[in-house]
Amino acid sequence: MAEPRLVVLQGADERDLTKLSEYRAIGGYDALAKARALAPQAVIDELLASNLRGRGGAFFATGRKWSFIPKPDQNPNPHYLVVNADESEPGSFKDNEILSRVPHRFIEGCLITAHAVESKHVFVYIRGEYLGPFEAVRDALEEIRDDERLLGGVTIVVHRGAGAYICGEETALLESLEGKRGQPRSKPPFPAISGLYASPTVVNNVETLATVPPIVAMGGAAYAKLGVENSTGTRVVSLSGNLVRGGNYEVAHGITLRELIYDLGGGIAEGRELKAVIPGGSSTVILTAEEIDVPYDYDALAEVGTAMGSAGVIAIDDRCCMVQLGIRVSEFYEHESCGKCTPCREGTRWMTAILRKLEAGEASDSELDLLLDVCDRINGKCLCPLGETAAMAVASYVLKFRDEFLAHLDGGCPFGSQSPLDGVVAPVNQHTHSPVAEVPA
Amino acid sequence: MSALHDEIRELMALYPEARSATLPALRLAQEKHGWLSPEALREAAEGLGETPAYCMSVASFYDMFHLEPVGRHLVEVCTNVSCALVGAQQVLEAFERELEVRAGETTEDGEVTLRTVECLGGCGWATIVALDHRYRTHVQANDVGAIVEELRADG
């Protein structure tokens, strides 16, 4: 079993790193001083050397993203650092733990990044449901509020969302932060050129930023030695589903999915058999139990047609019906579609409708093809990836578990209520009558 | 002017463009009124210097804003994949039995609203139930009776 090499969560098991004094005791904020002694470009160069790639899901090289920001003499508008703390991908809960346990490391990462992109304004967009993590960051900021030496003229505003998965998409997030409905923008222009308030803006994920101080401390080249080529360093992987020990585990890239599931996660709960694995949050292509010897890194997962996404690994045992899984996943995206692009808004609804017919045993052969056809009509036809990921994920259930889908054509679901996803009430189909009071006329 | 008005003005000062305070202002208005009633929307709009219609259009996009009255307590059960795999539906049904409402409804006495929500970001500690926004982890159907009792005792 690969030994976890802690970077992001380093020290958090031994000390209460939510406290400034404890974080200071392990060298906290020393990397900030080191970075500020360097020119901004030199900090960017360290990040390029580390080959850190964004932990929000897109895996874009962080140093490159920073290098797209115009220099102040090229664009006189203020530069903004916006933190994407809108973690909402089903299966992912790593940023929850990072913000709650190492808020100062996260804040230090924000301050180093602000120096690198020459910004004085940081906005942390945190999902509204994350009350605990919000309080941890707020309290940590309170501890350094009067420490101008640490803040260096940078203001950090924590902005709470209000419940919308789509706001994890960076341009939707910017719209929401500007006080609007969170609907994605057309790109280009990209945020680096025209982001928040039409100014140059870097949008980085929480884990990405919490990785920045250790990189500056150890040097980019040393960080690049962790993990594997193209997927350097560590990743905080969220394990959930039918496992003995769900939770977040920081591992070096390259560990296999089998090791994650059986060594760290303790294997499948209740002595059951593994059936399938969603490897990177519900947006990713599913893997069968036979495919889990794949190393957990970008290239290896791409080779088997899937992705690390936001590193949310969901293990599914042999009781689960794949059509029911398709319904639940499709209903999620149907509910969270912002409604801007027709293929996503309408397509996710049709996906759910066809899957429900399949589950009820009322679908014909041609409707299984129709389902894949609807998926195909969403792919590549929308402003953002929401509908596309829904379509690719659900289509992968059909392709990899085709026999199971075909079995539904003859008299309905072979699993029925044995499957834990049977009859699950999703928000999109919940009753909304309120007997308390009528809205006043 | 009301205290809410002053608080909204303070929020607006945090941002280069004041409209960015829309979500936080709506949150404050909702906290004061219990839900985003027409009066709450008017008050938020007045503070922000926007129209109530604008505030309504924004509020209606987000799940955490209530455009209908809700109970004094809010019970939210995550029924997304990770929670559902380990029994979220049974947890939901236990709440429905204990509270005598269906998901999406409020108890007759106006005390508790029960609803399902999408992924709350606690998947490895499933089932997640948010009680007035505080997460309870590893909730099982047989924990529900005690949780409801606790809510009721909180008056």
Side-chain angles (χ1 to χ4, degrees):
Chain A
M1 161 180 157
E3 196 59 39
R5 281 170 281 187
L6 295 182
V7 173
V8 175
L9 294 169
Q10 191 256 320
D13 286 339
E14 298 79 33
R15 291 167 178 271
D16 177 6
L17 294 184
T18 62
K19 302 264 185 301
L20 178 62
S21 55
E22 293 289 296
Y23 187 56
R24 282 288 213 183
I26 61 160
Y29 291 105
D30 289 352
L32 175 62
K34 186 176 171 186
R36 287 212 179 117
L38 299 170
Q41 186 58 46
V43 180
I44 294 176
D45 289 341
E46 281 302 324
L47 264 292
L48 288 169
S50 75
N51 202 15
L52 175 68
R53 295 168 75 173
R55 303 304 194 223
F59 218 58
F60 192 83
T62 306
R64 278 194 71 205
K65 194 183 238 187
W66 293 359
S67 69
F68 293 154
I69 294 292
K71 301 297 168 203
D73 57 344
Q74 294 169 314
N75 186 327
N77 285 342
H79 294 177
Y80 297 107
L81 168 61
V82 174
V83 181
N84 188 341
D86 194 56
E87 179 173 67
S88 308
E89 175 74 13
S92 286
F93 50 102
K94 66 191 179 62
D95 296 340
N96 180 346
E97 182 151 352
I98 292 167
L99 293 169
S100 300
R101 297 184 71 200
V102 290
H104 281 290
R105 184 168 289 139
F106 161 71
I107 291 166
E108 185 179 13
C110 293
L111 292 169
I112 293 171
T113 305
H115 173 66
V117 301
E118 301 183 61
S119 167
K120 295 289 182 199
H121 313 279
V122 180
F123 291 97
V124 181
Y125 187 104
I126 183 167
R127 68 177 295 189
E129 294 88 345
Y130 273 5
L131 180 57
F134 161 73
E135 289 173 341
V137 174
R138 181 198 61 194
D139 294 349
L141 282 172
E142 189 59 29
E143 280 192 288
I144 64 166
R145 194 183 59 165
D146 299 320
D147 194 334
E148 202 35 56
R149 209 169 37 85
L150 279 187
L151 288 170
V154 174
T155 58
I156 301 178
V157 174
V158 184
H159 183 95
R160 301 179 68 194
Y165 168 76
I166 188 58
C167 291
E169 194 281 333
E170 63 180 6
T171 62
L173 185 153
L174 295 173
E175 287 286 295
S176 181
L177 181 49
E178 290 182 4
K180 303 170 192 165
R181 294 164 71 87
Q183 294 188 307
R185 298 173 179 171
S186 163
K187 294 193 273 192
F190 289 90
I193 305 303
S194 180
L196 186 63
Y197 313 125
S199 295
T201 303
V202 168
V203 184
N204 279 147
N205 163 263
V206 167
E207 184 182 356
T208 308
L209 289 164
T211 310
V212 169
I215 287 175
V216 170
M218 73 174 83
Y223 182 82
K225 290 202 178 82
L226 298 172
V228 298
E229 196 185 0
N230 286 332
S231 300
T232 60
T234 66
R235 191 84 193 242
V236 181
V237 179
S238 301
L239 299 185
S240 70
N242 302 120
L243 290 172
V244 173
R245 288 189 300 272
N248 287 309
Y249 297 89
E250 186 172 1
V251 296
H253 284 119
I255 184 173
T256 66
L257 256 181
R258 183 180 297 281
E259 289 170 313
L260 280 167
I261 290 168
Y262 286 95
D263 296 343
L264 295 173
I268 307 307
E270 299 169 39
R272 305 211 60 105
E273 291 295 317
L274 179 69
K275 177 173 183 176
V277 181
I278 294 175
S282 70
S283 298
T284 55
V285 164
I286 203 163
L287 296 174
T288 65
E290 289 71 45
E291 295 177 289
I292 62 168
D293 289 307
V294 60
Y296 205 68
D297 70 68
Y298 184 86
D299 291 339
L301 285 163
E303 247 172 67
V304 295
T306 189
M308 271 196 289
S310 51
V313 175
I314 307 173
I316 297 169
D317 77 23
D318 55 355
R319 291 169 305 169
C320 182
C321 165
M322 289 294 133
V323 175
Q324 292 177 14
L325 177 69
I327 291 171
R328 188 62 190 87
V329 168
S330 179
E331 282 177 336
F332 168 71
Y333 291 97
E334 178 188 347
H335 185 257
E336 300 299 332
S337 174
C338 82
K340 190 167 181 172
C341 306
T342 309
C344 168
R345 183 186 66 240
E346 302 300 320
T348 49
R349 192 168 62 88
W350 279 109
M351 283 166 57
T352 304
I354 299 167
L355 285 159
R356 283 207 167 277
K357 235 178 138 180
L358 265 164
E359 172 67 11
E362 294 161 3
S364 61
D365 288 17
S366 66
E367 279 164 309
L368 193 52
D369 294 333
L370 181 63
L371 174 62
L372 292 174
D373 188 55
V374 169
C375 291
D376 192 45
R377 283 161 199 273
I378 300 172
N379 285 335
K381 297 172 185 70
C382 303
L383 284 177
C384 91
L386 187 147
E388 186 161 320
T389 51
M392 285 174 59
V394 169
S396 76
Y397 310 161
V398 180
L399 297 175
K400 297 204 176 179
F401 296 92
R402 194 170 179 93
D403 289 347
E404 201 173 311
F405 277 76
L406 290 173
H408 281 74
L409 296 174
D410 305 317
C413 184
F415 295 85
S417 59
Q418 293 303 303
S419 169
L421 298 189
D422 184 52
V424 169
V425 177
V428 77
N429 50 37
Q430 97 190 327
H431 199 58
T432 52
H433 172 66
S434 170
V436 173
E438 294 302 318
V439 176
Chain B
M1 285 294 172
S2 68
L4 179 63
H5 182 94
D6 294 342
E7 282 179 77
I8 292 174
R9 289 279 146 180
E10 277 174 40
L11 285 169
M12 289 159 73
L14 293 174
Y15 302 92
E17 292 186 16
R19 188 178 260 190
S20 281
T22 304
L23 260 56
L26 288 170
R27 178 190 305 279
L28 285 180
Q30 177 164 288
E31 279 169 9
K32 179 179 166 189
H33 292 265
W35 63 293
L36 287 177
S37 61
E39 189 192 346
L41 285 166
R42 262 197 307 277
E43 219 177 321
E46 197 174 276
L48 287 162
E50 302 285 350
T51 64
Y54 180 77
C55 289
M56 177 63 129
S57 82
V58 173
S60 65
F61 190 82
Y62 299 93
D63 279 354
M64 292 178 75
F65 292 131
H66 305 296
L67 301 175
E68 286 178 45
V70 288
R72 222 157 44 82
H73 294 295
L74 187 59
V75 176
E76 296 171 303
V77 181
C78 170
T79 61
N80 207 298
V81 175
S82 296
C83 285
L85 282 172
V86 299
Q89 180 62 24
Q90 286 68 49
V91 171
L92 177 69
E93 286 168 12
F95 274 111
E96 289 182 327
R97 277 194 304 275
E98 285 287 333
L99 294 167
E100 297 177 338
V101 292
R102 286 199 285 163
E105 293 180 342
T106 302
T107 53
E108 286 292 341
D109 59 6
E111 279 295 298
V112 186
T113 294
L114 172 68
R115 66 174 189 167
T116 63
V117 286
E118 291 297 3
C119 182
L120 287 171
C123 322
W125 315 305
T127 294
I128 302 289
V129 176
L131 298 178
D132 296 329
H133 308 293
R134 297 274 169 201
Y135 287 14
R136 291 292 174 93
T137 59
H138 303 289
V139 177
Q140 297 184 333
N142 57 17
D143 301 325
V144 167
I147 291 173
V148 169
E149 210 168 289
E150 197 184 312
L151 272 183
R152 297 278 195 203
D154 192 35

